[in-house]
Amino acid sequence: MTEFGMPTLVELPSLEENARLAAALGLKFVEINMNLPMYQAHRLTRERLAPRDGVYFTLHLDEGLNPFDFNPLVREAYLRTAENTVWLAAESGVPCVNLHMPEGVHFKLPGRKVYLFDEYREEYRASLLAFRERMARAADGRVTVLVENTCFTRLRGLPEALDTLLESPAFALTYDAGHDACDGFAAAEFYRAHEGRVKHVHLHQANETTCHLPLGAGRVDEGGLLARAENGGMRVVIEVKSREGLERSVNALRERNAIA
């Protein structure tokens, strides 16, 4: 059965409050957004990450994290941040850590943009391999590192980069439905071709320009995605950003009989 969760909300300043809301809504987990200062890895402990009120936690790395940066000192800081987070998850019984796949820097030229990860493939691939090795070692067979679609319309080498990471069983995929809707569903083909490696879904509605909208109306095929999640045993984060939007979305899922 699909397990549904919610992101940590800015309106609720503690894990305890987020877990209580999740439990009240009948959700199974809370995805901790590590952009927030109180959820940095050095402030989280095994005790804080222990399940409570029947709710467990997953982790979402800082959205700006770029472990492929060309500057070795900057890259090492990001690598250590990711590594420490995966270690923490492994020691705390947290099942997965989510990563936004960074697009890196681009240069604007007349009529086009040049993405440096596309232009300097050898350096980029070397960083991918180093990241893959260190995350797999930190995961130790106890944690899945999930890679989320963010830039399929921009970075040409992204499918190859994802395939490189997926050569390790420590890695799997998060399909973010709203991001893909705003991108004209550019990631859909790749994620369908790798359906067996999609373990996590970020479900929210979107229009042509805006995502993280409540469920119920929009460009995302909620019914089709929920069926795929059920068939594939995927976790689903209802990734809206406000309590009111979350409650509306849970009610929309109840109307579909997708959630009790």
Side-chain angles (χ1 to χ4, degrees):
M1 176 176 281
T2 301
E3 293 186 338
F4 289 90
M6 58 175 269
T8 44
L9 302 179
V10 173
E11 298 163 74
L12 303 178
S14 71
L15 286 182
E16 292 77 13
E17 289 173 275
N18 280 277
R20 281 197 294 270
L21 177 60
L25 293 174
L27 305 176
K28 298 297 185 184
F29 67 96
V30 173
E31 186 147 285
I32 298 172
N33 187 321
M34 299 183 77
N35 285 87
L36 296 168
M38 61 282 206
Y39 302 140
Q40 299 302 306
H42 68 279
R43 293 184 171 178
L44 296 173
T45 63
R46 292 173 60 181
E47 291 72 27
R48 290 193 73 196
L49 292 173
R52 63 198 69 198
D53 299 313
V55 171
Y56 65 92
F57 298 103
T58 64
L59 293 171
H60 191 309
L61 286 162
D62 185 321
E63 294 175 13
L65 188 136
N66 181 4
F68 317 121
D69 195 284
F70 293 130
N71 183 315
L73 297 178
V74 173
R75 182 171 66 244
E76 181 61 23
Y78 283 132
L79 278 168
R80 289 183 62 186
T81 299
E83 192 172 50
N84 289 342
T85 301
V86 174
W87 276 332
L88 174 65
E91 292 299 314
S92 304
V94 170
C96 57
V97 174
N98 194 75
L99 167 76
H100 274 197
M101 196 65 175
E103 64 184 54
V105 173
H106 67 268
F107 285 11
K108 291 184 179 180
L109 300 181
R112 66 189 179 107
K113 295 178 181 178
V114 175
Y115 285 82
L116 299 191
F117 288 160
D118 283 332
E119 193 73 7
Y120 300 97
R121 291 286 184 91
E122 290 186 13
E123 291 88 343
Y124 182 43
R125 178 171 170 76
S127 296
L128 285 164
L129 294 174
F131 177 70
R132 187 182 75 187
E133 180 182 353
R134 287 175 64 166
M135 294 309 103
R137 190 183 311 123
D140 191 31
R142 295 179 287 171
V143 177
T144 303
V145 181
L146 299 163
V147 188
E148 179 180 344
N149 54 296
T150 52
C151 49
F152 263 79
T153 56
R154 298 181 291 282
L155 192 61
R156 294 193 316 275
L158 181 57
E160 180 183 346
L162 291 174
D163 280 332
T164 296
L165 295 178
L166 290 172
E167 289 171 5
S168 167
F171 284 83
L173 298 170
T174 292
Y175 178 65
D176 189 297
H179 288 171
D180 202 23
C182 287
D183 268 352
F185 299 101
E189 181 179 352
F190 180 91
Y191 275 71
R192 283 190 180 277
H194 294 74
E195 190 95 327
R197 302 297 295 277
V198 181
K199 303 300 180 186
H200 210 67
V201 173
H202 285 172
L203 179 60
H204 45 108
Q205 270 299 347
N207 54 36
E208 290 77 5
T209 59
T210 306
C211 57
H212 302 292
L213 301 175
L215 302 182
R219 304 184 72 192
V220 174
D221 176 10
E222 295 172 20
L225 187 53
L226 289 168
R228 288 165 59 194
E230 182 71 25
N231 292 336
M234 305 170 195
R235 289 185 184 86
V236 176
V237 181
I238 307 166
E239 201 185 30
V240 296
K241 303 300 186 179
S242 71
R243 179 170 184 161
E244 186 271 338
L246 178 66
E247 291 170 345
R248 282 177 54 190
S249 298
V250 169
N251 288 335
L253 290 172
R254 288 202 176 105
E255 289 173 5
R256 290 181 173 274
N257 296 316
I259 190 170

